[in-house]
Amino acid sequence: MNLATQRFDAVIVGGGGAGLRASLELAQSGLNVAVISKVFPTRSHTVSAQGGINAALGNTDGSDDWRWHMYDTVMGSDFLGDQDAIEYMCKHAPETIYELEHMGLPFSRLDNGKIYQRAFGGQTRNFGGELVHRTCCAADRTGHAMLHTLYQRNVAARAKFFNEWFAMDLVKAEQGIAGVMALNIETGEVVFLQARATILATGGAGRIFQSTTNAHINTGDGFGMVLRAGLPLQDMEFWQFHPTGIAGAGVLITEGSRGEGGYLINKEGERYMERYAPHLKDLSCRDVVARSSMIEIREGRGCGPKGDYVLLKLDHLGTEVINKRLPGIRELSITFAGVDPLKNPIPVVPTCHYLMGGIPTTVHAQVLTVKNGQDHIVEGLYAAGECACVSVHGANRLGANSLLDIVVFGRAAGLHVQQSVREGLGYRTPSSADIEAALSGLNRWNNNQNGESVDVIRNELQKIMQNDFGVFRTAEHMQEGFKKLEKLQERLKSASIKDKSQYFNTSRIEALELDNLMETALATAYLANERTESRGAHARYDFPKRNDRDWLKHSMYFSDGTIDFRPVNMKPHEVEPIKLKDRE
Amino acid sequence: MRFSIYRYNPETDKKPYMQDYDLDSEANSCYMVLDALLAIKNTMDDTLTLRRSCREGVCGSDGMNINGKNGLACTTHLSSLKEPIIIRPLPGLPVIRDLVVDMTQFYQQYEKIKPYLQNSEPVPAKERLQSPAERAKLDGLYECILCACCTSSCPSFWWNPDKFVGPAGLLQAYRFIADSRDTEKSERLADLADPFSLFRCRGIMNCVDVCPKGLNPTKAINEIKELMLEEAV
Amino acid sequence: MVKSVLGVNHQGLTDWLIQRVSAVIMMLYSVGLFAYLIMHPGLDYAEWHALFSSKCMKLATLLFILSLLFHSWIGMWTVFTDYIKSFLLRLVLQVFLLLSLIVFFFAALWILWGV
Ligand SMILES: Cc1cc2nc3c(=O)[nH]c(=O)nc-3n(C[C@H](O)[C@H](O)[C@H](O)COP(=O)(O)OP(=O)(O)OC[C@H]3O[C@@H](n4cnc5c(N)ncnc54)[C@H](O)[C@@H]3O)c2cc1C
Ligand code: SF4
Ligand code: SF4
Ligand code: FES
C-alpha cells in the first residue's frame, strides 16, 4: 500500500496550552517539530479557562510559599496525588508564571505593578491556615490570554503547524511508538507522521457526560489512541464536577467568582456552605462544594420550579468588581442564563468539568505502562496536559492547578524530548500489521453501511454516564450502567455515517471521536465500579469513607478489561512527606 | 422554524445553492443558532458542514453570516431572528465546504503584524511591572477571538485581502503597540505606514458593528494613525 | 531596532495627511467664497473681476485648485488600486488621469492669471 509518510524529530498531537508549551520549547531548540491539531490552535479548549493559574508568588498577601501550595494540592487530591510530581509542579510554578509574563501574557495587575492574585478554592497559608490569594489571572479570561500568548510565541519561533488535522491512532512498533496516523480534515488525505518522539496533548473528554463545561471537541481522543495501542489509563474514575455550571447550558462560571466574594444560596436564601464547611465555606475543595449542592437539591432546598439548581450570588460585589474582575462571567450569564449578575443571582448546578486521571506519565512526561507490577517507560511516547496523569491532581484537582499543570509539564516534555534526541533517540519502524491496525478505525467507518447514527449512540452514552456515574455513585447504578455501556459498545461496531465524502467531512471526524468517547466511558465505568471507597471526586453511597488501607493506590485500566494498580508516590525529594489525615 | 442554508460540496456540486430545512426548534431544545444547526446535522442531514468547538463564544470557530450579518452561531439567540433564517459562510473568504471558509489569508495578515510581545531589554528575575492603568489600555484589545467576523465584513479587505491587514490584525497590532512592555513601538508603526496595510481602512465601521466580543477595531486603527503622526512630527 | 515612520515607505501616512489637509483647505475656501456670495447679493461681473484680481484671492484659488488635484489624484489612485486588478489597465487609467489633472492645472492657471 502507498502511504504518504513525513518524518519529524517530534510530533505533538494537540495545540492547547500543553501542546503549545511543549512545541515552543522544541521549536526554540531548533528541532524539527510538527504540531497537529484538529482545530486551529487558539480554538483549543484551553481558551475557555477563566479563573486563573496558581503560583506561590505572595503578590497580594505579601508572602506565600510553594510548600504551602504543595500541601494544599496534596490535601485537595485526597492523598492520591503523587507527592514527587506535586513538589515538582509547585516548586516550578513561580518561574513558570514569570516566564509567561515575559512572553507577554496580559495578567491583571496590583497597584504596585505586580501580577494580581485572587483567592480560589482550597488555598491556604501555613499548611491549612487562613485563606491565601494564590491565583494569578487575566481578569476572567486567563485561559484565553494564555493560549493566545503561547500561540503567538510559537508564531515567533516559527513552529510548524498541521491545523485541522485529526490524529486517528498511534502507530506502534516492536519497541514503543513510531508516530501517529493522521487525517487531513480539509482534503481527506491520510499521512503517517513518523517521529522520534510523539507527544500527546489532546486534552479532556468531558463530552462523555450529557451536561458538561467542556467544548464539543473534548472527546478524549488521546485516551482512545493509547488504549487501542495496548497501553493503560490511570485513575479514570476521578471526574471533577464543577459546582457552578450554568443550569441547563452547562457553561462554566469560574470559581474565581467565589474567590472575589460570591457565594452559593439555596431556595431559602441560606448560605449553605457555612453549614457544610465552616472554615473554607464556599472556597472549599470542588468535590466538597459540588456534593453539598447536590445534597441541597436532593433534600428539596433547590431553586426554580423543579428545585433542580442552586443560586450563585454576586450582586453584593458591586458594579466595579464585577466589571473589572469578572466581565466575561457577566457576558456569559446574560447570554446563557438570561441573568445579569449585577442584579440577580445565577442559577448553577454541579457540572462535569475535568478528568483527574489519564495517561500515566513520569514527571518528565514519559508515558508509562505496567507489567507484573513494575513501571515501564514506553519508548518514543510522551503525554502532557489534561490527557496525562502525572499525577498531580490525585482524586480531586484544585481550581487553577490545571493551567499550571499544562505549562509545567508541557515544558517538561519539551525539555526531555530535546535531551533524548540529543542522546540519540532514533526512529522506530512499524510493521505493515501495525500500519493496518492504525487505519482500521477509519476503514470501518468508511465501509459500514446502514447502521445506527453517531448521534443516537452518542446521546445514549452521555445519558448513561450522566445517570449512573455522576456526583454520587452506587454499585447498583454503576453495574446497570456498565451493562448498558457494553451493549452500546456492540452497537457502535455496526454504526455508520451517511456522508462518505473526502473534503471536510466532519461527520466522519465525529464518528472517530465517538470511538474515543466510548473507550473513555468504559475505562471510567470499569474503574469506578472497582474502587470500593469514597475519595475526592469519587463519592459512593455504599462506601462513604476513604479507605487508605486498601485503596491508597492508582488504578490502571487496559482496553481488554484488565485492571492493575500502582502505588502512590509519598516521597517528595526536598520536603518531608505530607502525612495522611482527614479533610474538612 | 425555517432555515435556508448555503450548501456547497466541492466533490459533487458545480456551484453553491441554498437548501431549506424545517426544524422544530422547541422539541430539540434549541436556543442558539448553533444548537439548531447541530440539530439539523444530527437528525436531518449529516452532510451539513460547519466548524464549532466551545459553544460559548470564546473560541471563534463558528463565525458565519446570519440573516445578512456576521456573528457567532453559538451566541446568537434564535429568538432574535426573523424567519426564514438565512445562513451563509463568512463573505469575502473562499468557501471550502458549506459554512466552512478558508481562513489562510486572514491568519497571514494576523502573522504579518508580528503578533507577539517584543522586548529588547534584559529579562528580569521576576515579572515586568505594569501599572493597572497601563494594563487597562489592553482591555478591549486582547480579548479578540480571531473569529474573522470583522475582517470578512470589511469591503477594504474584500478588495485587498493580500495587502490590507484588516480590522482583526490591526486590532492586534495596536494591542502590542499599546503594551507598556513592548519596546518595538516605532518599528511596528513604521511597518504599517505604507498605503495598504493600515490606510486602506475607510472608517466604514462594519467591523465594529459585527464584532461579537464588542471590540472596536476602528478606534484602534485611529489610535495607530494618531501615534504615527506623533512619531512623524 | 528603532525605525522611524519617515525612514521607510510611508506613502500611506503622507497620502492620508494630504487628504486631510487638502480637504480642510477646500472646505475653508468654499465656505469663504460662499460667505462672500451671501454678503454680496446681486453680484455683477465687475465685482467678481475685482475679487479675482487681488493677489490674495489668486493665491487662495491656486491653493484650492492644487488641493483639489492632489485630493482627486489620491482618491482616484485608491479607487483604481481597489477595483482594477489588471496592472496594464490600471497603468493606462492612471496615466490618463495624471495627464488630465496636469492639463486641468494649467488651464486653471491660464484662466486665473488671465483675469
Ligand atoms: C470552562 C473551563 C474553565 C476552566 N478554567 C480553568 C482555570 O481557571 N484554571 C485552570 O487551571 N484550569 C481551568 N480549566 C481546566 C483547563 O482549562 C484544562 O484542563 C486545560 O486547558 C487543558 O489543556 P490541554 O492543553 O491539556 O488541552 P486542550 O486545551 O483541550 O487542547 C487539546 C488539543 O488537542 C487537540 N486534539 C485533541 N484530539 C486530537 C486529535 N485526535 N487529533 C488532533 N488534535 C487533537 C485539540 O485540537 C486541541 O488543540 C478549565 C476548564 C474548563 C472546561
Ligand atoms: S472601519 Fe476600516 S477596518 Fe473597519 S470595516 Fe471599515 S474599512 Fe474595514
Ligand atoms: S475583533 Fe472581534 S470580530 Fe474581529 S476577529 Fe476579533 S473578536 Fe472577531
Ligand atoms: S463555538 Fe466557540 S465561538 Fe462559537
Side-chain angles (χ1 to χ4, degrees), chain A residues 231-350:
Chain A
L231 300 170
L233 293 178
Q234 174 174 302
D235 297 340
M236 295 296 284
E237 62 273 44
F238 295 102
W239 282 89
Q240 178 166 79
F241 288 78
H242 196 292
T244 55
I246 294 180
V251 172
L252 181 81
I253 299 297
T254 176
E255 188 166 292
S257 56
R258 279 170 284 139
E260 296 289 345
Y263 54 82
L264 292 163
I265 52 178
N266 59 20
K267 81 168 179 200
E268 277 130 36
E270 182 204 359
R271 184 177 179 182
Y272 55 85
M273 281 315 296
E274 287 182 331
R275 181 156 36 85
Y276 291 97
H279 178 43
L280 295 179
K281 302 183 182 118
D282 291 85
L283 288 177
S284 303
C285 288
R286 283 183 184 167
D287 55 335
V288 177
V289 182
R291 276 196 293 274
S292 310
S293 297
M294 284 316 284
I295 294 172
E296 289 300 296
I297 291 170
R298 292 179 103 108
E299 293 182 352
R301 290 187 295 278
C303 310
K306 292 193 207 140
D308 54 357
Y309 57 80
V310 291
L311 291 169
L312 174 64
K313 188 171 143 54
L314 296 178
D315 54 305
H316 58 285
L317 300 179
T319 313
E320 204 195 314
V321 171
I322 293 185
N323 284 340
K324 189 160 161 209
R325 303 285 180 215
L326 304 166
I329 288 311
R330 188 170 171 220
E331 193 184 314
L332 286 175
S333 56
I334 291 173
T335 309
F336 289 97
V339 165
D340 184 348
L342 286 179
K343 300 190 195 101
N344 292 304
I346 313 169
V348 293
V349 65

Side-chain angles (χ1 to χ4, degrees), chain A residues 43 47 216, chain B residues 34 51-63 72-75 145 147:
Chain A
R43 323 217 183 277
V47 83
H216 285 288
Chain B
L34 182 65
R51 294 189 176 105
R52 86 284 178 267
S53 175
C54 69
R55 62 82 173 86
E56 57 185 38
V58 295
C59 77
S61 296
D62 58 347
L72 298 174
C74 62
T75 55
I145 58 175
C147 64

Side-chain angles (χ1 to χ4, degrees), chain A residues 437-506:
Chain A
L439 288 166
S440 61
L442 180 68
N443 289 337
R444 188 180 101 244
W445 286 109
N446 282 343
N447 296 331
N448 276 10
Q449 303 278 1
N450 304 324
E452 283 180 286
S453 79
V454 166
D455 183 57
V456 165
I457 299 202
R458 187 173 50 204
N459 275 338
E460 277 193 40
L461 181 139
Q462 290 168 338
K463 210 156 88 196
I464 298 169
M465 295 311 287
Q466 190 76 23
N467 292 340
D468 298 329
F469 297 90
V471 176
F472 286 105
R473 298 167 172 176
T474 62
E476 190 193 344
H477 269 118
M478 286 194 289
Q479 268 146 28
E480 202 178 305
F482 185 63
K483 275 191 215 123
K484 285 190 249 169
L485 267 186
E486 283 193 314
K487 279 202 199 110
L488 199 59
Q489 190 190 22
E490 278 310 307
R491 283 163 57 191
L492 175 59
K493 286 182 187 151
S494 55
S496 72
I497 44 172
K498 289 204 204 82
D499 185 358
K500 305 274 194 222
S501 59
Q502 290 297 321
Y503 278 81
F504 228 101
N505 185 342
T506 50

Side-chain angles (χ1 to χ4, degrees), chain A residues 51-55 64 68-77 89 117-125 128-136 240-244 253-262 264 271 273 277 279-290 353 393 396-402 583-584:
Chain A
I53 170 165
N54 289 329
D64 199 353
W68 303 343
H69 182 191
M70 175 177 170
Y71 172 87
D72 292 335
T73 305
V74 173
M75 286 298 283
S77 82
M89 178 176 84
Q117 294 186 285
R118 62 160 51 115
F120 240 65
Q123 306 284 350
T124 65
R125 137 185 320 279
E130 290 305 297
L131 268 176
V132 76
H133 297 77
R134 188 175 287 146
T135 306
C136 309
Q240 178 166 79
F241 288 78
H242 196 292
T244 55
I253 299 297
T254 176
E255 188 166 292
S257 56
R258 279 170 284 139
E260 296 289 345
L264 292 163
R271 184 177 179 182
M273 281 315 296
H279 178 43
L280 295 179
K281 302 183 182 118
D282 291 85
L283 288 177
S284 303
C285 288
R286 283 183 184 167
D287 55 335
V288 177
V289 182
H353 182 57
H393 309 303
N396 172 64
R397 167 173 78 89
L398 286 191
N401 260 358
S402 172
R583 298 158 83 212
E584 178 171 296

